[in-house]
Amino acid sequence: MKWRGRRGSGNVEDRRGMGAAGAGGVGVVGMLAILAVGYFFGIDISPIVRELDQGQPAQDAPLSERDQEYGEFVSVVLADTEEVWAPVLPEQAGIEYADPRLVLFRGAVQSACGGASAAMGPFYCPGDQRVYLDTDFFDMMAQRMGAEGDFAAAYVIAHEVGHHVQNLTGVLSEVNGLRARMAEADANALSVLTELQADCYAGIWARHAQDRFGSLEEGDLEEAMRAAAAVGDDVIQSNAGRTPVPDSFTHGSAAQRQEWLMRGFRSGQMDQCDTFAEAGL
């Protein structure tokens, strides 16, 4: 991915060197309760990274050169999403785009949605319209999930910004209202549709970023496809030593996530990302 030397966003809050931002003692069990709201990027990945917290560096440790490079990368990708969605959302949905903020943290963080641990992955909080990301997640993707590369990491950010787009269009609030009145299996199915639409929106970003900036290099789409597969519910459950149970899926299978990512990329159109209509809702 071509990103070096390009404009960065002014909407990044870097809290990685601010000392303990703590999750307030929420722990993994509490994190699962937060996950149930459906805002997080992936389901509980703690079986894959259960030793992550033990090896987490002190939160007030100075940023390494790699940390700083990740910060620059995230800033450029966020700027790209701003430049893409600022015209696309009003043109295709008649809604003005409001930039989200992106919070970089280390280990644990507090948000308007509660406390969160890095072991739970990146997430979007509609309460404060912020994306939260521990950049160590990128290393974990590469080392333990087989999803390395700049564009794989960019897909993660674009997916979370996709949730912000859903927040602006009213989808998130509508979904949460419906899920609260549904049986668990039905609520999970609705969550899957929400996540797949965010994947499709990530594909829209990739298409327009390529058209406008020429960002993609050979192999970039394959990186994003590997990342989409790596965070499929079936893959995560299998890697955790469990038999995949479709009724428990909250984010979609690997094949579904890849399909909707590419649907957004090929079309570049929001009306091609209506997962809910396709499911008969």
Side-chain angles (χ1 to χ4, degrees), residues 23-219:
V26 174
V28 171
V29 173
M31 290 309 102
L32 290 175
I34 296 170
L35 282 173
V37 188
Y39 300 138
F40 284 74
F41 177 68
I43 65 170
D44 178 17
I45 57 172
S46 55
I48 303 174
V49 293
R50 51 185 171 269
E51 74 273 19
L52 184 65
D53 286 336
Q54 283 106 355
Q56 194 69 35
Q59 291 192 1
D60 57 354
L63 299 181
S64 68
E65 184 176 334
R66 186 168 183 79
D67 289 332
Q68 294 172 357
E69 182 173 276
Y70 273 149
E72 294 171 7
F73 168 77
V74 167
S75 180
V76 170
V77 174
L78 186 63
D80 280 3
T81 66
E82 294 165 355
E83 294 190 32
V84 165
W85 284 109
V88 167
L89 192 61
E91 288 170 4
Q92 297 189 14
I95 298 170
E96 184 178 355
Y97 187 67
D99 295 341
R101 295 187 69 80
L102 190 150
V103 177
L104 296 175
F105 70 95
R106 173 179 282 160
V109 71
Q110 287 285 349
S111 75
C113 296
S117 162
M120 309 316 296
F123 67 98
Y124 172 72
C125 176
D128 55 19
Q129 297 193 11
R130 281 167 166 77
V131 173
Y132 290 84
L133 171 67
D134 185 326
T135 52
D136 284 348
F137 184 75
F138 297 149
D139 291 331
M140 189 206 68
M141 286 176 59
Q143 297 166 9
R144 308 184 190 186
M145 301 173 76
E148 61 183 336
D150 290 344
F151 205 71
Y155 156 69
V156 172
I157 299 167
H159 173 97
E160 297 307 332
V161 172
H163 284 313
H164 177 63
V165 173
Q166 291 175 316
N167 192 35
L168 296 177
T169 61
V171 166
L172 284 187
S173 59
E174 186 175 357
V175 164
N176 286 330
L178 290 171
R179 291 181 76 247
R181 302 191 298 272
M182 289 179 167
E184 182 178 1
D186 292 334
N188 288 346
L190 195 59
S191 177
V192 167
L193 298 177
T194 307
E195 296 297 329
L196 295 179
Q197 186 177 67
D199 280 333
C200 192
Y201 286 167
I204 288 178
W205 163 78
R207 168 65 177 271
H208 287 272
Q210 171 62 8
D211 290 347
R212 294 188 59 181
F213 316 122
S215 305
L216 274 65
E217 297 178 301
E218 184 176 354

